[in-house]
Amino acid sequence: MAKDWCIGIIGGSGLYNIEGIEDEQWLMIDSPWGEPSDEILCGRIGDVKVRFLPRHGRGHAISPNDLNSRANIDALKRAGCTDILAISAIGSLREELEPGRFVVVEQFIDRTVHRASSFYGSGCVTHVSMADPVCPRLSEMAAKAVTACKAKTATGATYLAMEGPQFSTRAESRMYQAWGADVIGMTAMPEAKLAREAELPYALIGMVTDYDCWREGDEVDVAQVIAQMQENGQLAREAVLKFIEKLPKTRKASPIDTALDNAVITAPEERDPQLVAKLDAVAGRVLI
């Protein structure tokens, strides 16, 4: 069923605000999963509702391995989001994906190990498909928006999500290349998994800041990363505005809107009522 767009924007390193939002107000959205990274900037751009969340908090106070992605996704869902466009700083594992290039991600390899990666568990066992982890419709629109801003753009990339907060060893970086990864970052997982569990179509624009450390003699230099982030930031803000400007007037239904259909395995009479209560926003459509 068609409905209005409400775009959730998750701003990564170097993107702590969005320009052009009207009727803006920062609101703290309470979540049963803990505290989100920050308040959510709610407003509109033209006729499109927008909800902006700085992933690391304003001032970049939260380390990648300490992010509460469950609270972030839950809060965005409670704020009315229909879709999520995420922005992330990334390292490159390919010579042709040079610093300054924007990359629209298609696949993920999840190497995070210490993060809560699901809303579900014993008492409400649920398995969603992650075969195609991003929304192709959103990803295509994101790529067109970046290209329209005259940024160098690549599509179809595989993102290796590492735990961090340390950068890779050379051996790890070269192993990830051998696995077929194209870019590397610390934040898109379990974020993308949780978005799917919340039936929120998700797309990711990565901004290349460095070549990781796979090249002989190279290593990740934080000062260079910050400088490239600042350079990328304005282009990212322009791309977000272009993305929203070009959205179709009507949001047609996405298959991801019903990702939980047939995904909950636990019988209704065996479901943990406390867990079900926490799932009111992300899974209320099928549980309540």
Side-chain angles (χ1 to χ4, degrees):
M1 185 172 67
K3 55 184 174 181
D4 293 335
W5 297 96
C6 181
I7 302 296
I9 302 162
I10 301 178
S13 300
L15 192 66
Y16 309 112
N17 63 75
I18 293 291
E19 298 163 356
I21 296 181
E22 302 174 78
D23 302 330
E24 62 179 3
Q25 54 180 327
W26 287 93
L27 298 176
M28 178 52 74
I29 308 295
D30 292 330
S31 170
W33 303 95
E35 287 191 15
S37 294
D38 205 325
E39 296 175 321
I40 294 176
L41 178 59
C42 301
R44 61 181 177 83
I45 297 175
D47 295 327
V48 179
K49 293 178 182 177
V50 174
R51 308 288 185 258
F52 173 74
L53 176 66
R55 187 187 283 114
H56 297 278
R58 285 166 286 181
H60 205 113
I62 305 173
S63 177
N65 52 312
D66 288 330
L67 289 171
N68 187 342
S69 294
R70 290 194 297 187
N72 287 346
I73 295 297
D74 177 77
L76 288 168
K77 183 84 172 186
R78 290 178 189 277
C81 292
T82 58
D83 303 81
I84 291 178
L85 176 65
I87 315 291
S88 290
I90 53 174
S92 171
L93 298 170
R94 304 292 171 199
E95 190 72 45
E96 65 274 17
L97 301 178
E98 73 280 14
R101 185 173 289 271
F102 282 58
V103 178
V104 178
V105 172
E106 183 176 282
Q107 282 290 336
F108 295 98
I109 299 171
D110 189 359
R111 290 283 292 170
T112 62
V113 292
H114 297 304
R115 310 176 191 188
S117 61
S118 178
F119 289 111
Y120 307 95
S122 298
C124 191
V125 179
T126 302
H127 302 286
V128 297
S129 172
M130 288 297 294
D132 299 301
V134 300
C135 172
R137 176 171 70 181
L138 284 184
S139 296
E140 181 180 358
M141 291 190 289
K144 287 180 178 178
V146 174
T147 301
C149 293
K150 307 294 191 254
K152 292 181 179 180
T153 312
T155 59
T158 295
Y159 176 121
L160 189 291
M162 63 181 292
E163 181 67 26
Q166 304 86 359
F167 295 121
S168 307
T169 67
R170 292 194 199 283
E172 289 168 334
S173 191
R174 290 165 181 161
M175 177 178 70
Y176 300 150
Q177 282 186 310
W179 285 358
D182 302 301
V183 296
I184 185 167
M186 300 180 187
T187 57
M189 283 290 176
E191 186 176 272
K193 289 178 177 177
L194 294 163
R196 180 60 54 88
E197 288 190 338
E199 299 187 320
L200 288 170
Y202 178 96
L204 175 64
I205 299 173
M207 306 178 294
V208 178
T209 59
D210 60 88
Y211 272 120
D212 205 49
C213 64
W214 54 272
R215 300 201 309 181
E216 196 63 47
D218 277 3
E219 60 182 84
V220 183
D221 180 86
V222 172
Q224 282 185 318
V225 169
I226 292 172
Q228 189 65 59
M229 283 192 315
Q230 291 173 342
E231 188 176 322
N232 291 347
Q234 184 55 41
L235 261 177
R237 284 186 282 273
E238 292 172 12
V240 167
L241 293 176
K242 185 66 69 175
F243 171 84
I244 291 171
E245 175 189 318
K246 296 295 185 182
L247 286 172
K249 286 198 174 295
T250 302
R251 181 192 183 277
K252 294 182 179 178
S254 164
I256 298 167
D257 297 344
T258 53
L260 291 174
D261 284 2
N262 306 311
V264 181
I265 293 180
T266 303
E269 64 275 13
E270 297 298 329
R271 293 172 188 167
D272 178 351
Q274 290 185 316
L275 178 54
V276 169
K278 291 175 68 174
L279 292 165
D280 62 325
V282 299
R285 186 185 69 81
V286 295
L287 294 178
I288 298 173

